Amino acid sequence: MDAQITIPQSRQDNTFQRLVRTFRVSAWLGWQIEANWADPLVFAIYALIKPLASAAIIVVMYGIITQGDFGQPIFAYIFIGNAFYIYVGQVMSGVSWAVIDDREHYRMLKYVYIAPIHIPTYLLGRGVAKFVFASISVFVTLLAGVLFLQIPLDLLQVDWLLFIVSLAIGVNMLALMGLMLGSIVLLLVNHSFGMGEAVAGALYLFSGAIFPLEVLPEWIRWVGFIMPVTYWLELIRRALLPDIAAGFPTLASLSNGQLLGIMLGLTVFFAVAAFLTFNYCDREARERGYIDRTTNY
Amino acid sequence: MTLTAKVTKHSGLRLFLMTVFGRAYPRMVGMLRERSWMLWEIILPILGVSAYVFIYRAIGAPEIYIGFVVMGGAMTAFWLNVLWSMSSQLYWEKEMGNLSLYIMAPNSMMGILLGMAVGGLFFAGQRALVITIVGSWIFGVSYEVVSYWQLFAVFMLTMVALYGLGMMTSSLFLLLSREAWHLANLAQEPIYLASGFYFPVKNLTFWVAAGASIIPLTMGMDAMRQLVFPDGSSLGFLSVDIEIAILVGLSVLFVVGAKLMLDYMERLAIREGRLTESKR
Amino acid sequence: MDLAVKTQDLSRIYKIRGGKKEEAKELVALDHVSVEIKRGELFGLLGPNGAGKTTLIKILTTLLSPTSGVATVGGIDVAKEPHNVRPIINMVSGGESSGYGLLTVRENLWMFAQFYGIPTKVANERIKELLGIVGLGDRDNTKSSDLSTGLRQKMNIVRGFLTDPEVLFLDEPTLGLDVGASRDVRHFVRGWVDENKGDKTLLLTTHYMVEADELCDRVAIINQGRVLACDTPSRLKRNLQRDAIFKLEVSPLNGAGTGSFEKLAGVRQVTHQAQDGQSILEFILEEEDVLGRVVNTMTNQDIHIFNLEKREATLEDVFVDLVGKSMKEVEGDSDS
Ligand SMILES: Nc1ncnc2c1ncn2[C@@H]1O[C@H](COP(=O)(O)OP(=O)(O)OP(=O)(O)O)[C@@H](O)[C@H]1O
Ligand SMILES: [Mg+2]
C-alpha cells in the first residue's frame, strides 16, 4: 500500500487564485459576523446611532460656541472631516479586531492559521463588511448635514472622478494601516474594547479631520504631514466642497495631482510597512506561542 | 496522601470581602503583567481628548470649555470601564467557563461584580488621573475649587451610583451573549453625547438633560464642573445641592436595583439553562 | 443527613429554538430520574454522549433548574435554596479550563479559595499539598495559559478538592488525561472518599466502563435521560453472570447484519463491530449450549471463525443488555 494522497485539481490553485479565494471567504465571514442585516437594531446601532451621535457631539460643541451659526466654512470643514473619518475607525478596527475576535472569542485563529490561506489577505477581507457599514454611516451623516445643518454640498459641483479615485486609494490605505495594527495585536492581550477605534481616536488629533493643522502647536504639526489620512481628507473635501476646501491654507499649495501622488506614495509605503510588520509579528507570535492563547482577565 | 490542612471557611461579610478581593486580584495583577494597557488606557486616550480640545480652539471657544473637555475625557475612563470591564465582562466569563463556577460558589455575584469594579477602578482611576493631570498641564486649565467637601461627596456618590448601574446592567448580560456587545456599543457615543462629556449638559435643553441624568455621570460631571472651574456654576444645569440629592437617590436606586435584578436574572438564567451555554 | 443526593422524578426539558421562524422543539434530557446517593458513597453515572449526565450534574450544582421533580443535595432542595447548597458542593468538569490564563496556577486556585471563604494561609497549604498529589508541585508558578491540556485539567481537579466540599461532582474528570494521570486521579478520588470515612460523597460521570467498574461503589446506567439500572457494579453484572458471553472474531459480515443471529432462540443480544477487515461479534447467550446454534448459522452463511473466547461480564455488557446496543453504537446513531 503505497497510497499517496492526491490533491484534487481544484485545490492546486496558483497564488493569485489562493489570494482571491482567501479574500472572498474572509469577506463573507466578516459579513456574516458583522452585518447582521436581519436584525434592524444591530443595523441601527452601528450604521446610524453611533456615527450620528459622534457627529452630534461635535455639532453641539460648535453650536454652543457659535450660537448655532452653521453657515461658516469651518463648520463644513469639520463636519465633512468628521464624517469621512468614520472610515478610519471602522476599516482599521474591522481588520485588526478580527485577530482578537478569532483568537479569543471564536477560538479559531489557530484553525485559520493552519488553513492553506494567506493570512494578511484574510485579515484584510475581514474589514470589507465594516467598510460597507461605514459607507452607509458616512452617507447618512452627510445627508443629515445637508438637510439640517446647511452643509453646502451640491451634487452638480462634486468632482466625482476625484472623489472616487481618492476614496478607493484611501480605503486601501486604511485597510493596510489596519493590517499593521492587527499584526501588532497578534502580540498583545485583549483589552476588550475596540483597539482600532482607540487608535483612530488618537490619530483624529493629527489628521486635520476636525480642525486645520495650523491649530496644533508647531512642534507636533509634522505628525499630521506624514499621516496619509490628512491628504486623503483634503482630497475628499476638494472633491465634494471645492469652495470650502480652498478657504483653508494648510495644503493649498499642492495640486490635486500632487496630493494624489503623495497619498499613493504613502499607501505604497504603508503596504510595504504593513507586510513587514505582519511578517515580524507573525514570526514573533508563533515563536512565543501566542496564536491560540486567550488573555482575558 | 491524607490532606493535613484543616479547612476553615468564612461566610457572611467576611466571605463577601474575600470574594471582592479575589476577583479584583486578577485585574490588578493583569495590569502589572501586561504593560501594553498603558498605551491603550492612557496614551491613546490623551491624544483622543486633545482632539476635542483643539476643536474648541479652532472655533475660538472660551478657556473654560477646555477644562470641560479635559474633565469629560477623564471621566470617560469610568464609563468605558463600567461598560466593557463590568457589564459585558460577564459575557467573556461565560465563554471562558468561569461564570458557572462563580454562580456555583457560595459567594454572592455582587461580590464578584464589585471585585471586577474595584480591579477595574485601578485602571480607570489611573487613566482618569493621568488625563486630568496631563491634560490640565498641557492645556493650562485653571481650577478654583469652591468646596472640597462637596467635591469629594459628588465624586464618591457618582462612583457608587455608576458602579451600581454597572452591576445592574451586568445582570442583563447574564442572559445575553453577542447582543451584549451591541448594547455596550450602543451606550458609548450616544451617552458621550447625552451626558455632556464634552460640553455643558445644560445646552441640551432641560428635558434631554433631565433624561440623561439617569446616567450618574451626567449629574456627577455637571456638579464637579460647577465646583472646580472658576465661573463654572454659570454653565451648570441644576444647583450642586440638588444634584447631590439626585446622586444619593440614584445610588440607592442602582445598588438596590442591582441586587434585585441580579437575583432575578440568576434565577431566570438557571431556569432557561443559559448559564453555561456558549454561542461562539 | 444520611442521603447526600436524592432526586425524585427529576425531569429536564430543553426548548430548542430552531433557526428563524421555526417552531421550538423540545428535547427531553432527563426523564423522571430517581436516584439516591448515600453519604460517603462514590457514585458513578455511566452513559453514552447525550445521555443527560451533564444535565443532571448541572441541576445538582444549582446551575440549571429542573422542569419537574425534586432534587436535594445534603437534604437541601437545589431549586429552592441554592445558596444553602453552594457552600457544601463543588464541581469539576473535564475538558474545560477555569480561571484566567494570565494568573499562575497558584493564584487561580487561591482566587477560587477566596470565593469559598477559605483564609489565604489555609488555602495556600492545601494548594501546595494538592498540587503535590497530582504531580503539579513544581508548576505552581506557571501561568495557567502555559499549561498543557492535561495539566490544566489537573489544576481544575485540584480546584474541586481545594474547597473541601461535602459533595463533589466530577463530570468526566479524566477527559484529556493520559493513562498514567487518569490512574492517579482515580486513585486519589478513591482515597479521598475512603479516608473521610463516610463523610464525603462523590458523584462522577464517565463513559469509560473501567472507570465506573473499578472505581465506583454504585453505578447508575443512564441512556436518553432515563436511569435504566442502579446498583453496585458487581450486582449489576451478576444478573449476567449466569449468561454466557462470547466474543467471536469472524470473516467480514459484509452488510449481512446480525439479524439472523438475533432470531435464534437463546440469543439475548448481539453486537457487531468491524475491525481490521474482520468482524467482531459479541453474544450474550442465555446458556452456553446456544453457542452451537450460533456456530451452525455461521457455517451455513460461510462465515469463518478466527477466534472465539468466553469472557466475564463487564458493565459494557450490562449496558448492551439493557439498551440492546453498545455505547459506541448508541453514540454513532446520534451522530447521524
Ligand atoms: N442548553 C441546552 N439546550 C438544549 N439542549 C441541550 C442543552 N444542554 C444539553 N442539551 C441536550 O440534552 C441532552 C443531554 O445532554 P448532556 O450534556 O446532559 O449529555 P451528557 O450525558 O453529559 O453527554 P456527554 O457524554 O456527551 O457529555 C443532549 O441531547 C444535549 O444535546
Ligand atoms: Mg457531559
Side-chain angles (χ1 to χ4, degrees), chain C residues 235-267:
Chain C
R235 248 183 292 172
L236 283 171
K237 287 183 289 185
R238 191 173 309 153
N239 297 336
L240 288 177
Q241 225 83 73
R242 43 190 171 77
D243 300 334
I245 300 175
F246 290 97
K247 177 177 172 190
L248 281 79
E249 292 174 32
V250 301
S251 58
L253 291 187
N254 287 337
T258 55
S260 55
F261 303 111
E262 278 159 16
K263 274 187 275 184
L264 293 176
V267 174

Side-chain angles (χ1 to χ4, degrees), chain B residues 4 6-10 15 18 22-23 25 30 33 93 98 102-104 106-107 266 270-271 273 276, chain C residues 12 58 62 64-65 86 90 97-100 102 107 111 114-119 122 126 129 163 188:
Chain B
T4 46
K6 195 92 203 89
V7 183
T8 44
K9 290 186 199 173
H10 295 292
L15 172 62
M18 288 173 84
R23 184 58 190 90
Y25 182 80
R33 283 195 191 144
E93 303 281 7
N98 284 333
Y102 292 163
I103 299 265
M104 192 183 61
N107 57 29
E266 186 183 315
I270 287 176
R271 192 165 71 228
T276 43
Chain C
R12 171 71 208 195
K58 279 188 196 164
T62 76
L64 186 70
S65 49
R86 288 170 188 164
N90 204 342
S97 53
S98 52
Y100 301 94
L102 220 82
E107 287 169 332
M111 182 182 82
Q114 288 286 107
F115 298 159
Y116 285 78
I118 301 171
V122 181
R126 268 181 88 80
E129 226 170 335
T163 63
F188 177 68

Side-chain angles (χ1 to χ4, degrees), chain C residues 48-55 171-172 205 207:
Chain C
N49 291 146
K53 305 181 296 289
T54 303
T55 303
D171 194 0
E172 304 192 25
T205 77
H207 53 234

Side-chain angles (χ1 to χ4, degrees), chain B residues 126-149:
Chain B
Q126 291 194 44
R127 171 170 168 169
L129 197 69
V130 173
I131 291 181
T132 307
I133 293 173
V134 175
S136 306
W137 172 65
I138 296 182
F139 300 114
V141 179
S142 58
Y143 295 94
E144 203 178 288
V145 177
V146 180
S147 154
Y148 280 99
W149 185 88

Side-chain angles (χ1 to χ4, degrees), chain B residues 5 12 25 30 33 35 85 92 99 110 137 139 162 185 193 203 206 209 219 233 241 254 258 261 273 280:
Chain B
Y25 182 80
R33 283 195 191 144
R35 306 284 174 138
S85 303
W92 287 110
L99 184 61
M110 288 287 274
W137 172 65
F139 300 114
L162 179 65
N185 258 311
L193 171 67
N203 291 85
F206 179 83
M219 291 282 102
S233 55
D241 290 336
F254 288 141
M261 282 273 279
R280 267 180 224 144

Side-chain angles (χ1 to χ4, degrees), chain A residues 46 50 105 107 296-297, chain B residues 89 91 178 182 185 189:
Chain A
Y46 292 97
K50 274 171 80 80
H105 178 221
R107 313 241 169 101
N296 201 296
Y297 50 96
Chain B
Q89 175 71 21
Y91 160 72
R178 189 93 186 171
H182 305 319
N185 258 311
E189 286 82 359

